[in-house]
């Protein structure tokens, strides 16, 4: 599993002093954007090619709290890739204690940026398809 790390920012917390539940989607998105950049290409460059990757499903389970300034890690992996859709699995841990705080997954599809129509990477962008396919375990 690939790992992303950073500290919880103050604005990500709520009045109770914990990361607001909606921000876990942002944490995993930050990790996913870095994962794509580290393994495939910069997402901005992908958009310049005309490819976007909308989210079609995201779900998760809250296990423990993260608080302001906690160092956390997001361990993630690509679990499914068809060239039209892909799925990721995530585990968010408190990096200091090792405690699992959130686990979940997200599913995405590849689309043309102008009309959001699904595309087949294998047909339209074979090099990009190969880069993603090589990462599926």
């Amino acid at each position: 599993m690939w790992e992303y790390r950073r500290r919880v920012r103050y604005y990500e917390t709520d009045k109770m002093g914990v990361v607001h539940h909606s921000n876990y989607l942002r944490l995993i998105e930050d990790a996913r954007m870095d994962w794509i950049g580290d393994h495939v290409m910069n997402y901005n460059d992908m958009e310049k090619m005309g490819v976007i990757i909308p989210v079609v499903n995201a779900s998760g389970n809250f296990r423990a709290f993260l608080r302001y300034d906690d160092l956390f890690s997001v361990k993630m992996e690509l679990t499914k890739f068809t060239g039209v859709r892909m799925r990721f699995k995530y585990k968010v841990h408190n990096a200091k204690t090792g405690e699992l705080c959130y686990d979940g997954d997200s599913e995405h599809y590849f689309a043309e940026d102008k009309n959001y129509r699904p595309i087949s990477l294998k047909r339209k962008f074979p090099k990009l398809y190969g880069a993603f396919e090589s990462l599926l375990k």
Side-chain angles (χ1 to χ4, degrees):
M1 285 186 127
W2 181 84
E3 186 175 38
Y4 168 85
R5 285 178 162 239
R6 74 168 173 83
R7 293 195 173 276
V8 172
R9 297 178 180 125
Y10 185 77
Y11 71 86
E12 294 169 324
T13 63
D14 60 19
K15 189 174 181 178
M16 295 179 288
V18 299
V19 172
H20 189 267
H21 65 276
S22 65
N23 284 321
Y24 283 89
L25 291 176
R26 289 186 171 122
L27 302 182
I28 65 174
E29 181 177 18
D30 287 350
R32 187 173 58 253
M33 290 295 102
D34 277 13
W35 182 92
I36 290 171
D38 283 357
H39 292 86
V40 180
M41 70 169 33
N42 180 285
Y43 191 75
N44 190 41
D45 293 337
M46 201 177 304
E47 285 185 336
K48 288 176 184 173
M49 292 170 51
V51 177
I52 57 172
I53 310 173
V55 177
V56 293
N57 187 27
S59 63
N61 301 293
F62 303 98
R63 308 290 186 184
F65 297 112
L66 282 172
R67 291 176 171 74
Y68 169 66
D69 205 37
D70 281 348
L71 180 64
F72 69 90
S73 68
V74 179
K75 295 180 180 176
M76 60 174 288
E77 65 181 324
L78 180 66
T79 59
K80 180 180 179 183
F81 173 76
T82 66
V84 177
R85 286 183 171 249
M86 68 179 166
R87 181 178 295 134
F88 292 96
K89 181 169 90 173
Y90 311 90
K91 291 185 182 287
V92 179
H93 290 88
N94 180 312
K96 183 177 180 182
T97 67
E99 186 172 29
L100 177 63
C101 299
Y102 176 88
D103 63 351
D105 59 22
S106 66
E107 189 170 357
H108 311 261
Y109 75 100
F110 296 93
E112 293 177 316
D113 69 349
K114 293 181 178 148
N115 59 26
Y116 294 91
R117 283 194 179 124
I119 59 172
S120 167
L121 286 187
K122 192 171 190 175
R123 274 184 278 176
K124 289 198 103 172
F125 301 96
K127 285 185 180 180
L128 192 55
Y129 174 86
F132 276 103
E133 184 183 44
S134 70
L135 298 166
L136 190 61
K137 295 180 178 180

